[in-house]
Amino acid sequence: MADVLPLVEARLHSALGEPDARAAVTFLGTDRIEVLRFPAAGQEGDVVRYATLGMSAQPMADPTAVLADPVKGPRAELVLSVRAGVAETDKVLRPLAVLAASPQVEGVIVAPGASLDVGEPLWPGAPFTSVLVAEPGGLVEDLELDAPLDPVRFLPLLPMTPNEAAWKRVHGAPALQERWLNHGTDLRDPSRRSVPLD
């Protein structure tokens, strides 16, 4: 079976440019997860992007399955976009690696509409401890792999305040995204306040 990660990294480079930093994190009993930092460039000159590399090495397994299929199953990497220079967002590397390792550690399938919580601020002073997984395909196109492998999807992460995360649990992801849209929320602002939820 061909190694998926060089293909994934090539797709990230073609979509986001050359990374200017990378960090690797290894958790006990899991594969190594890298987080790549792509500097602000082009039209969105103040947006820095962080992408995981390593989550897609294994397919995500259904937690109810007796045996994990080593070949078939959804594959994904995570992408976070934030405004540069507003907060210490480079400290998000470890929380992102924790989220990327969650399918191996906790046996969860990360998919659009899911909430992922790290239980602490995403970076120092951040008003967010969790993220909403958004639909893929906008920023980085899916990476098709040879059959029978599923494509790798690049899932955008949208930081949520604790109040937004609690509201989303009751009303659902589409309702929260609609509220963000209606209020013109800048989801890339690393110090934004919670959207009005009453």
Side-chain angles (χ1 to χ4, degrees):
M1 209 46 76
D3 189 0
V4 170
L5 295 184
L7 303 173
V8 171
E9 184 165 2
R11 174 56 56 91
L12 285 169
H13 286 210
S14 67
L16 304 177
E18 288 298 313
D20 65 353
R22 61 198 304 151
V25 182
T26 306
F27 303 100
L28 193 63
T30 68
D31 294 332
R32 176 175 130 129
I33 303 283
E34 285 192 275
V35 180
L36 281 54
R37 180 184 187 274
F38 294 89
Q43 295 173 327
E44 298 175 294
D46 62 343
V47 175
V48 61
R49 305 190 195 282
Y50 303 92
T52 63
L53 179 64
M55 181 177 171
S56 61
Q58 312 274 344
M60 293 182 272
D62 182 343
T64 62
V66 179
L67 280 174
D69 190 317
V71 177
K72 290 187 72 63
R75 293 175 189 259
E77 296 289 354
L78 308 175
V79 182
L80 174 71
S81 302
V82 290
R83 299 212 176 281
V86 181
E88 287 184 85
T89 55
D90 282 351
K91 300 279 176 67
V92 79
L93 300 180
R94 185 171 175 79
L96 268 185
V98 168
L99 296 179
S102 61
Q104 289 184 60
V105 175
E106 299 168 31
V108 296
I109 292 181
V110 177
S115 302
L116 303 175
D117 197 318
V118 292
E120 61 184 23
L122 292 175
W123 51 82
F128 320 106
T129 59
S130 62
V131 292
L132 174 65
V133 181
E135 289 291 336
L139 188 62
V140 185
E141 283 185 30
D142 292 356
L143 173 64
E144 297 295 332
L145 301 173
D146 293 338
L149 303 184
D150 286 28
V152 177
R153 304 171 88 198
F154 298 87
L155 301 171
L157 300 181
L158 308 175
M160 291 189 292
T161 66
N163 284 348
E164 289 169 341
W167 196 87
K168 180 251 172 192
R169 277 194 292 276
V170 175
H171 299 278
L176 178 59
Q177 289 178 294
E178 187 176 337
R179 191 155 277 252
W180 280 336
L181 192 63
N182 291 342
H183 285 84
T185 306
D186 180 2
L187 296 173
R188 295 171 176 170
D189 179 354
S191 56
R192 73 172 179 84
R193 298 183 186 281
S194 182
V195 71
L197 297 169
D198 46 342

